[in-house]
């Protein structure tokens, strides 16, 4: 088949981009050909056509260029890459129009507003293995962040996977071959199924040259391998975005030594930022605490929760700011009201820097600039260090605000090439062309009157036709009065037609006015955009301060709205919580009252809380609650409790719930053992460990043996603060030394069981599994038969199971001290009443209130 010059041009471009779908600009359309056309037609629902009439042999399909963004986004979301080949030459010039690929769009480099979730980062990550080290480099080009980490030793891949899970990047670039490639693929498939891979053969050849384009030398990695990995990522970004990317100027090293480490299991089990149901934000800790007003703040809050602090001084700095904002209602409302008017600075700046920002983006920046003086004014008299820092470092951009106000219309269109984006009065040349386009008829009439008056030719008139354009027509009777500067253009039977320099200039302006208007507006807009981009570094710093302020205000709003308290930080290893509440569960419970509970963990007599009690009684909720409150405190958040003392921990480990990793072919029990193995391997004396029902996935004696051995190992070798929930009552004989028994209070009456949701000292003597089965709806015949089997098994086990040493807690009775079963708030409310001075009506109201509270806490309301 003989190819046209245009098709040869297309194939040459496609040869350079075999892994991308090539969008080839032809006039007002992007066209795709051959295999790209088949793929795009399938994924986008387009109709295949052909220039030759044979869609099977020479398939093609196309989309309007002005609607390309939505089509590209669809392809990117499916994991494809798109190369954009634009017309570089003048389409009106003779011969083949020059075209070249101006950018490549990938899942990790897409910048269109419609493709990005405002409250989430869009990271791209790169892995490079050099000897014993694995280098992770990453960036979010939409916000200007860049980071790297170096992993070595036997734990390198586990630490790497934990970080990849946090990043949740849509694209991973791999340099060369990885020794753990199969393991990595399995992890990505299981935990990050939407992540696409990009392979590169070699690392960057001149890493320092590339690094010098973005970061000051003092920020560069020390390790040569890290320099190569980071430069390789930057090379890839430059090759795809095809821009100097000066917004990538902030570099941080991933270092867990200063943070509370939350591994993949813990982040999932505690549902910190992603829920277990669909991986979304709803019903997560992030969801509960997110009162942010800006996209920047929401993204930063997520990072704070996924990497809480360990330094008491740094945490207290956050507490001081949250306290001042939570106690100062007027201050908080003023700050949050101003924050509402601030758009996504970081991404607006990136689009300005790479040249994709439109006029609406500039208006958003203007409105954001306008809110900054109000924020500084609100913070002027604050005392907390972080609030003072925000006050001092938030810049006010009055000049840019005035420029944008003067230049850009208040409600511009989306497309820059349609015009209508520059205000009247900003540019005299533009105003002149607009006047010509708008008032051409009036201007021609004025010119005609001037010429009549100047020449004295009363019959003179100005006309227009498509062949000759504009002309001055003079009848033969007046041709003797024609001035010398008139140029003869056409002779008619009874008239002569002329042109003048003024009329020629007017004609040029008239005919090209609209095109000129669009071109001038575009040029003026790009100048404004470049002026804004020139302040990029300064505005980025202000954006960061705004994000921090937004997070602090969000945590303050959460504290004020949900009755949270400031934890007291200690360094003695103790965690002591009074009337703690689960931040997620208490919000979900609308009909029932959440029953608060105490928690005490230390390195003395309660290093390990051994918790027994029935299913559905609240053990898992209680343990998650303790872990979440500790995490919240170290992130800088107040906590749902009456009092809280927290000694920062280095890691939180959780083994909660049952889940089969069917994709990886692992059973529930295998998953459980893997997670326990990780905990025993990495936990330290300063860790918090949450273990729920260890060993239940195998036979009773196997499971009991494993559970007991795990508790003993933690007690004797690790000394981590541990909550260990179990149905194996036989383990309660471990009490003593660092182990203390706790159980869930239960009341039995007339064969019915009531779970009181209170954790009390002592051990349970029953699991009430059959009772739970009855509540679930198992037939009576089944549950009755189960009770008989249980009686036989318990009788038979007397000779095979060692006698329990720990005394079981007696069944709660009506005359027991209810202070041990119900919240201390009830007792304190009762003690606070001055009975001798109350009127009868006041006494009745108080008694009724206490009765309703008691009913709720007993589950009878």
């Amino acid at each position: 088949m003989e190819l046209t010059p245009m098709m040869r041009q297309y194939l040459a471009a496609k040869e350079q981009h075999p892994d991308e779908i090539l969008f080839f600009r032809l006039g007002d359309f992007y066209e795709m050909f051959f295999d790209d056309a088949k793929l795009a037609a399938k994924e986008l629902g387009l109709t295949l056509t052909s220039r030759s009439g044979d869609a099977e042999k020479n398939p093609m399909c196309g989309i309007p260029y002005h609607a390309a963004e939505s089509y590209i986004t669809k392809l990117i979301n499916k994991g494809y890459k798109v190369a954009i080949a634009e017309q570089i030459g003048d389409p009106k010039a003779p011969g083949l129009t020059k075209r070249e690929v101006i950018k490549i769009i990938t899942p990790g480099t897409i910048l269109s507003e419609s493709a990005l979730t405002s409250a989430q980062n869009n990271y791209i990550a790169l892995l490079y293995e050099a000897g014993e080290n694995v280098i992770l480099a990453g960036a979010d080009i939409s916000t200007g962040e860049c980071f790297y980490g170096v992993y070595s030793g036997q734990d390198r891949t586990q630490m790497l996977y934990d970080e990849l899970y946090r990043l949740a990047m849509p694209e991973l670039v791999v340099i060369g071959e990885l020794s753990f490639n199969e393991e990595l693929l399995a992890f990505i498939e299981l935990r990050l199924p939407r992540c696409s891979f990009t392979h590169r053969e070699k690392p960057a050849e001149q890493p320092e040259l590339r690094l010098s384009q973005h970061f000051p030398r003092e920020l560069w990695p020390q390790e040569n391998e890290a320099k190569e990995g980071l430069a390789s990522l930057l090379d890839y970004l430059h090759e795809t975005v095809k821009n100097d990317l000066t917004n990538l100027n902030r570099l941080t090293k991933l270092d867990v030594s200063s943070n509370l480490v939350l591994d993949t299991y813990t982040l999932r089990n505690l549902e910190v930022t992603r829920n277990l149901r669909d991986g979304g934000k709803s019903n997560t800790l992030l969801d509960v605490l997110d009162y942010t007003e800006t996209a920047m703040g929401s993204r930063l809050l997520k990072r704070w929760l996924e990497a809480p602090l360990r330094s008491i001084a740094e945490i207290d700095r956050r507490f001081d700011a949250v306290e001042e904002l939570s106690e100062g209602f007027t201050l908080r409302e003023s700050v949050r009201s101003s924050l509402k008017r601030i758009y996504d600075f970081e991404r607006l700046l990136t689009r300005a820097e790479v040249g994709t920002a439109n006029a609406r983006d500039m208006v958003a920046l203007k409105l954001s600039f306008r809110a900054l003086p109000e924020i500084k004014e609100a913070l002027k008299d604050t005392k907390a260090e972080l609030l003072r820092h925000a006050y001092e470092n938030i810049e006010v951009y009055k000049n840019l605000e005035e420029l944008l106000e003067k230049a850009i219309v208040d409600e511009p269109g989306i497309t820059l090439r349609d015009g209508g984006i520059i205000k009247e009065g900003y540019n005299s040349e533009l105003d002149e062309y607009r006047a010509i386009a708008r008032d051409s008829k009036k201007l021609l009439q004025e010119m005609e009157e001037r010429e009549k008056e100047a020449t004295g030719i009363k019959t003179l008139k100005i006309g227009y036709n498509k062949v000759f354009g504009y002309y001055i027509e003079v009848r033969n009777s007046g041709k003797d009065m024609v001035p010398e500067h008139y140029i003869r253009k056409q002779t008619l039977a009874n008239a002569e037609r002329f042109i003048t320099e003024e009329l020629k200039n007017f004609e040029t302006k008239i005919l090209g006015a609209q095109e000129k208007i669009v071109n001038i507006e575009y040029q003026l807009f790009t100048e404004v955009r470049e002026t804004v981009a020139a302040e990029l570094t300064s505005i980025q710093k202000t954006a960061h301060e705004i994000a921090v302020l937004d997070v602090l205000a969000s945590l303050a709003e959460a504290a004020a709205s949900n009755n949270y308290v400031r934890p007291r930080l200690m360094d003695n290893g103790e965690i002591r919580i009074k009337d703690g509440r689960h931040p997620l569960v208490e919000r979900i419970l609308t009909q029932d009252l959440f029953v608060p509970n105490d928690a005490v963990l230390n390195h003395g007599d309660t290093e390990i809380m051994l918790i027994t009690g029935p299913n559905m009684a609240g053990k898992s909720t209680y343990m998650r609650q303790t872990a979440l409150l500790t995490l919240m405190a170290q992130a800088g958040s107040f906590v749902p409790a009456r009092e809280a003392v927290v000694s920062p921990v280095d890691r939180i480990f959780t083994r909660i719930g049952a889940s089969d990793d069917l994709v990886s072919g692992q059973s529930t029990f295998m998953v459980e053992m893997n997670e326990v193995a990780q905990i025993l391997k990495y936990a330290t004396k300063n860790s918090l460990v949450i273990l729920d029902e260890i060993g239940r996935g195998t036979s009773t004696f196997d499971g009991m043996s494993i559970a007991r051995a795990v508790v003993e190992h933690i007690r004797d070798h690790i000394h981590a603060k541990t909550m260990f929930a179990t149905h194996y009552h036989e383990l309660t004989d471990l009490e003593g030394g660092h182990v203390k028994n706790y159980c869930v209070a239960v009341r039995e009456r007339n064969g019915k069981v009531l779970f009181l949701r209170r954790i009390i000292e002592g051990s349970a003597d029953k699991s009430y599994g059959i009772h739970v089965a009855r509540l679930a709806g198992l037939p009576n015949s089944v549950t009755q038969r189960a009770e008989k089997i249980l009686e036989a098994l318990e009788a038979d086990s007397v000779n095979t199971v060692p006698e329990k040493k720990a005394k079981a807690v007696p069944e709660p009775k009506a005359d027991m001290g209810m202070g041990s079963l119900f919240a201390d708030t009830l007792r304190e409310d009762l003690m606070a009443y001055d009975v001798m001075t109350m009127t009868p009506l006041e006494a009745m109201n108080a008694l009724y209130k206490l009765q309703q509270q008691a009913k709720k806490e007993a589950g009878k309301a």
Side-chain angles (χ1 to χ4, degrees), residues 569-742:
L569 300 175
M570 304 287 286
D571 61 0
N572 62 358
E574 182 182 25
I575 294 176
R576 187 171 70 252
I577 297 168
K578 192 74 172 175
D579 285 344
R581 313 184 308 274
H582 193 295
L584 280 68
V585 176
E586 76 163 350
R587 188 179 72 165
I588 295 170
L589 286 179
T590 55
Q591 302 297 322
D592 299 321
L593 181 73
F594 185 88
V595 179
N597 271 296
D598 300 344
V600 177
L601 286 165
N602 53 49
H603 290 303
D605 63 345
T606 318
E607 199 166 70
I608 299 176
M609 291 179 66
L610 195 63
I611 307 169
T612 50
N615 284 313
M616 294 179 60
K619 299 192 301 297
S620 294
T621 298
Y622 171 68
M623 293 192 299
R624 280 189 174 97
Q625 169 183 309
T626 304
L628 283 171
L629 266 58
T630 302
L631 187 157
M632 288 171 67
Q634 292 188 228
S637 170
F638 287 12
V639 299
R642 190 146 58 91
E643 295 176 14
V645 174
V646 174
S647 296
V649 298
D650 61 357
R651 300 187 68 144
I652 295 177
F653 294 95
T654 62
R655 167 33 5 221
I656 301 173
S659 61
D660 286 350
D661 277 356
L662 297 179
V663 175
S664 61
Q666 294 186 351
S667 67
T668 300
F669 184 64
M670 188 61 180
V671 171
E672 176 184 308
M673 290 300 100
N674 281 336
E675 294 185 13
V676 173
Q678 290 292 109
I679 293 171
L680 298 184
K681 183 177 181 181
Y682 297 114
T684 72
K685 180 181 180 180
N686 297 317
S687 301
L688 174 62
V689 176
I690 306 297
L691 293 169
D692 189 17
E693 306 295 353
I694 298 301
R696 62 183 167 184
T698 184
S699 71
T700 301
F701 291 112
D702 270 356
M704 190 190 308
S705 301
I706 292 171
R708 188 182 194 94
V710 168
V711 174
E712 290 176 351
H713 183 82
I714 294 173
R715 179 195 65 189
D716 298 338
H717 300 287
I718 300 177
H719 297 286
K721 292 182 284 291
T722 303
M723 289 182 159
F724 192 101
T726 183
H727 278 104
Y728 299 129
H729 305 127
E730 294 79 4
L731 300 186
T732 57
D733 66 357
L734 289 168
E735 185 172 44
H738 295 296
V739 182
K740 183 176 285 189
N741 285 329
Y742 285 82

Side-chain angles (χ1 to χ4, degrees), residues 144-212:
E145 302 166 52
C146 205
F147 53 86
Y148 70 96
V150 181
Y151 302 92
S152 59
Q154 60 178 350
D155 306 329
R156 63 180 193 167
T157 55
Q158 185 58 50
M159 292 187 292
L160 175 65
Y161 297 154
D162 291 341
E163 190 60 48
L164 292 179
Y165 182 76
R166 275 188 283 274
L167 295 175
M169 64 284 160
E171 183 177 2
L172 180 63
V173 182
V174 177
I175 303 293
E177 293 296 325
L178 301 176
S179 62
F180 53 96
N181 192 62
E182 290 187 10
E183 184 184 345
L184 174 67
L185 290 174
F187 173 82
I188 295 292
E189 184 177 11
L190 182 64
R191 299 295 184 213
L192 302 169
R194 296 177 183 172
C195 180
S196 65
F197 279 87
T198 298
H199 289 276
R200 306 271 283 183
E201 291 298 323
K202 297 179 181 179
E205 294 182 354
Q206 295 180 296
E208 294 194 349
L209 179 61
R210 179 62 80 188
L211 293 179
S212 64

